[in-house]
Amino acid sequence: MSGIVIIGGGFAGVWSAAAAALVRGESDLDITLVAPNEDMVLRPRLHRLVPEWSRVPLKRFLEPIGVSHLRAEVTDVDTEARNITADDQLLSYDRLVLAAGSRLARPAIPGSDLLYDIDTAEGAARLARPVERHGRGPVRRRRLRVHRP
């Protein structure tokens, strides 16, 4: 049996899994997607300030096409031995797809912990709370205005 391991649960990882499943046909090709979260986060939608709109369960995509999801974080890739370590589990592969995406690099300057971002669903939720308080109601029902001095 041969296997494909895909690191990353975003658009690139999910589409790679779908493409592998499509070409697999009736073969015994094992496809595993490794990602630390249960959901694929639609980052282009995070600006909408309703974080639940930006999450889609990975199993909704992966189960119907027969792709396994290992909920883990990859800590090592050994290309010579053709295996990865994910949360202390060793996975071997014949083919590896690295689609881990990107992550916001927060500057190490005083006050940076007070900054908001919409890089993750958690970051968008953190921003949504004060915006909703300021608007005195759910964001989806009101338009907010920014007043400049």
Side-chain angles (χ1 to χ4, degrees), residues 12-25:
V14 170
W15 282 110
S16 295
L22 184 65
V23 299
R24 169 182 54 203

Side-chain angles (χ1 to χ4, degrees), residues 26-61:
E26 299 298 318
S27 74
D28 62 351
L29 179 66
D30 183 42
I31 306 166
T32 303
L33 184 138
V34 182
N37 301 314
E38 292 180 19
D39 300 322
M40 178 172 70
V41 176
L42 308 175
R43 288 172 74 183
R45 291 191 177 175
L46 288 176
H47 71 282
R48 301 185 71 115
L49 298 177
V50 184
E52 55 271 14
W53 291 356
S54 67
R55 293 178 180 268
V56 178
L58 281 169
K59 69 180 183 179
R60 182 172 155 195
F61 293 108

Side-chain angles (χ1 to χ4, degrees), residues 84-148:
I84 68 165
T85 304
D87 289 353
D88 298 325
Q89 295 184 53
L90 195 64
L91 275 82
S92 297
Y93 63 84
D94 294 309
R95 303 276 183 187
L96 177 67
V97 176
L98 181 58
S102 62
R103 192 175 282 168
L104 177 70
R106 193 169 289 281
I109 57 174
S112 65
D113 58 319
L114 301 174
L115 299 174
Y116 291 95
D117 69 78
I118 55 170
D119 185 59
T120 63
E122 293 77 20
R126 185 173 164 250
L127 174 61
R129 288 188 291 271
V131 170
E132 284 186 0
R133 277 195 311 272
H134 176 73
R136 293 173 181 74
V139 171
R140 55 189 159 270
R141 291 192 201 137
R142 291 183 172 241
R143 289 194 173 270
L144 298 178
R145 295 191 179 145
V146 175
H147 298 279
R148 295 186 180 166

Side-chain angles (χ1 to χ4, degrees), residues 64-102:
I65 60 175
V67 173
S68 302
H69 174 213
L70 174 59
R71 188 172 177 195
E73 189 168 322
V74 174
T75 55
D76 186 55
V77 177
D78 186 338
T79 56
E80 287 185 29
R82 292 182 161 250
N83 59 46
I84 68 165
T85 304
D87 289 353
D88 298 325
Q89 295 184 53
L90 195 64
L91 275 82
S92 297
Y93 63 84
D94 294 309
R95 303 276 183 187
L96 177 67
V97 176
L98 181 58
S102 62

